[in-house]
Amino acid sequence: MKKTSLLLAATLATALPFAAAADDMVLNGQLNFKDVIGEQNVYVGVVANDHDQTASAQGNAMDANVTGESYVDTYQINHSNVEADLNLEAGLIAGDAVTRSQSFTNSTTIEGDGEGELTVDNYQEANPHCESCYHDAKTYISAAGVGSLDSSTVAVANSFEARNGQGGMNVNSQQVNNSKISAVSNIYVGVAGNLSASSAAVGNTATFGSN
């Protein structure tokens, strides 16, 4: 609790000089201490048409659309396991099958309208004091046949994206990850017209650019 209070005080102290000038000001603080699990299990004999399946788990997520001269101060801290688990067992899927297993521990997206400068302070921390914590996404698929299969498995600890138009940006971003990240996909298919599968595990990712 002491650390949380210090973070809030620091956020307010940093934000106050911007309050008078900003058209939009966003102060965001998110803390997660419990496990987050998204699990989707499907067992089916025959799918006559298409099949779409998603398993998703998110610890902390923030999405902001701001206008004019804007200031955003955001921090996200996670102290738990985050897991997405997708299982599909089928006989025949006649049409197209799409599966997505995705886990995001801390995710922030900020978009300005390009009518003023965008200033962002971002801090994200995944399991700073937990050596045994993990963040993962899993996919298991077993099917006798499928018309086409597109499967993606993604696990990300810290994700940050900020975009603005001609107004420009000033960004201060820090990301800290101390967790185990894994994206595991196991697919067993007898016959497939087309098959595309991907697995990606990412510790920290940051993207900046124009709209």
Side-chain angles (χ1 to χ4, degrees), residues 87-144:
N87 297 286
L88 169 61
E89 295 184 25
L92 172 66
I93 301 176
D96 301 328
V98 178
T99 68
R100 295 167 294 269
S101 180
Q102 52 195 23
S103 68
F104 293 90
T105 304
N106 296 313
S107 175
T108 294
T109 302
I110 302 167
E111 186 170 344
D113 64 357
E115 297 300 320
E117 189 174 65
L118 173 62
T119 300
V120 180
D121 285 316
N122 173 66
Y123 182 78
Q124 295 170 310
E125 196 167 18
N127 299 325
H129 307 297
C130 181
E131 295 295 336
S132 63
C133 288
Y134 61 87
H135 303 158
D136 62 24
K138 298 176 182 177
T139 296
Y140 174 82
I141 298 174
S142 177

Side-chain angles (χ1 to χ4, degrees), residues 6 22 68 76 82 90 100 112 122 131 147 151-152 158 175 189 192 195:
L6 290 174
Q76 297 171 317
V82 180
R100 295 167 294 269
N122 173 66
E131 295 295 336
S151 176
S152 64
N158 296 308
Q175 296 172 313
V189 175
L195 193 151

Side-chain angles (χ1 to χ4, degrees), residues 21-166:
D23 295 312
D24 279 355
M25 184 175 71
V26 179
L27 304 179
N28 175 64
Q30 294 174 309
L31 303 171
N32 179 54
F33 297 99
K34 297 296 184 179
D35 291 349
V36 179
I37 299 172
E39 183 173 349
Q40 178 69 250
N41 301 305
V42 174
Y43 308 98
V44 60
V46 176
V47 179
N49 295 303
D50 299 334
H51 177 76
D52 191 293
Q53 184 176 349
T54 299
S56 181
Q58 288 192 324
N60 298 305
M62 197 275 277
D63 192 343
N65 291 283
V66 293
T67 59
E69 196 86 7
S70 302
Y71 174 69
V72 180
D73 190 301
T74 175
Y75 71 85
Q76 297 171 317
I77 299 176
N78 182 77
H79 291 273
S80 68
N81 302 317
V82 180
E83 178 179 352
D85 198 351
L86 184 148
N87 297 286
L88 169 61
E89 295 184 25
L92 172 66
I93 301 176
D96 301 328
V98 178
T99 68
R100 295 167 294 269
S101 180
Q102 52 195 23
S103 68
F104 293 90
T105 304
N106 296 313
S107 175
T108 294
T109 302
I110 302 167
E111 186 170 344
D113 64 357
E115 297 300 320
E117 189 174 65
L118 173 62
T119 300
V120 180
D121 285 316
N122 173 66
Y123 182 78
Q124 295 170 310
E125 196 167 18
N127 299 325
H129 307 297
C130 181
E131 295 295 336
S132 63
C133 288
Y134 61 87
H135 303 158
D136 62 24
K138 298 176 182 177
T139 296
Y140 174 82
I141 298 174
S142 177
V146 59
S148 70
L149 173 63
D150 188 347
S151 176
S152 64
T153 306
V154 179
V156 181
N158 296 308
S159 173
F160 173 67
E161 181 176 0
R163 297 191 179 276
N164 197 23
Q166 296 180 353

